[in-house]
Amino acid sequence: MAFDSTPSYIATEALKQAVNAAVTLERPLLIKGEPGTGKTLLAEELARSLDTALITWHIKSSTKAAQGLYEYDAVSRLRDSQLGIEGVENVANYIRPGKLWQAFRADKRVVLLIDEIDKADIEFPNDLLQELDRMEFHVYETGETVRAEQRPIIVITSNNEKELPDAFLRRCFFHYIDFPDRETLQAIVDVHFPGIAPRLVSEALNVFFELREAPGLKKKPSTSELVDWLKLLMSDELSRDALYHRDPAKTLPPLAGALVKNEQDTHLLERLAFMMRRAGR
């Protein structure tokens, strides 16, 4: 198996090598990068390219590692016992398989995405070390051991909100998705909008990189936001004309709300434009 770009996903050579290395080593692939650089989409495209299922485990601040294995619904069992419901004596009826269980017991090799692992408690990654190493875990309520019938390809994403433990990092193959350069962004735009006017892309990319390079910007616009912005510009002729004839010292880009997502950055860009006007007098 060799992962490559797909009709809907542009992968750099470094990213292709990282995916293929992780698969060869049978290690989880830990992906970091700015929001909007395609970390989650990578797992989706990898599963599609392999013609297999994608099992996604979205991590929240309240998520516990044990939930990925299974959950024992003791409350339902107690309620059913009080109601005299048949089958209550079989504890297996109250075991709810988690995402790892589903991936381990799949009929064919699947892609398991553990999305935004850094949102969970700091101990969360360490609590999964043994299960990800051995590809098995024990169900104490039933005495059963769940083993991976086909070792899943594991993709783990992180937005770097907190540091991950060294013991966990040692077990992963790591790759940081650098923000795309202009040529790569052009290719991504071509994938999403075949036949888009070259002038529109050129002007939009000029403004996009100009915004990203603005000093002091709290949240830089991402690739996904560029795609949204271009979609809006393509559907609004007046906004396109405003983009073509825009004076950076006088106004924000048209439909700037697709790129600038908080009032601090809006005020910052307005101040920068004001300073440019003063300097030009």
Side-chain angles (χ1 to χ4, degrees), residues 118-175:
D118 53 321
K119 283 188 174 181
D121 182 87
I122 188 63
E123 291 302 320
F124 179 92
N126 281 337
D127 291 342
L128 288 176
L129 288 180
Q130 181 171 311
E131 289 76 14
L132 294 182
D133 257 355
R134 299 184 180 180
M135 286 288 131
E136 67 177 38
F137 60 88
H138 189 69
V139 183
Y140 295 98
E141 289 79 4
T142 64
E144 175 185 12
T145 297
V146 177
R147 293 187 178 88
E149 297 177 5
Q150 299 286 338
R151 190 181 188 96
I153 298 171
I154 301 173
V155 178
I156 303 172
T157 70
S158 169
N159 286 325
N160 241 1
E161 291 185 9
K162 61 171 68 81
E163 289 295 321
L164 299 174
D166 288 345
F168 180 79
L169 294 175
R170 284 197 299 271
R171 289 164 169 81
C172 297
F173 189 93
F174 172 76
H175 180 73

Side-chain angles (χ1 to χ4, degrees), residues 201-219:
V201 179
S202 178
E203 294 286 350
L205 287 178
N206 287 342
V207 171
F208 180 76
F209 280 109
E210 181 184 298
L211 288 178
R212 283 187 57 86
E213 293 166 5
L217 204 65
K218 183 177 180 181
K219 183 194 176 305

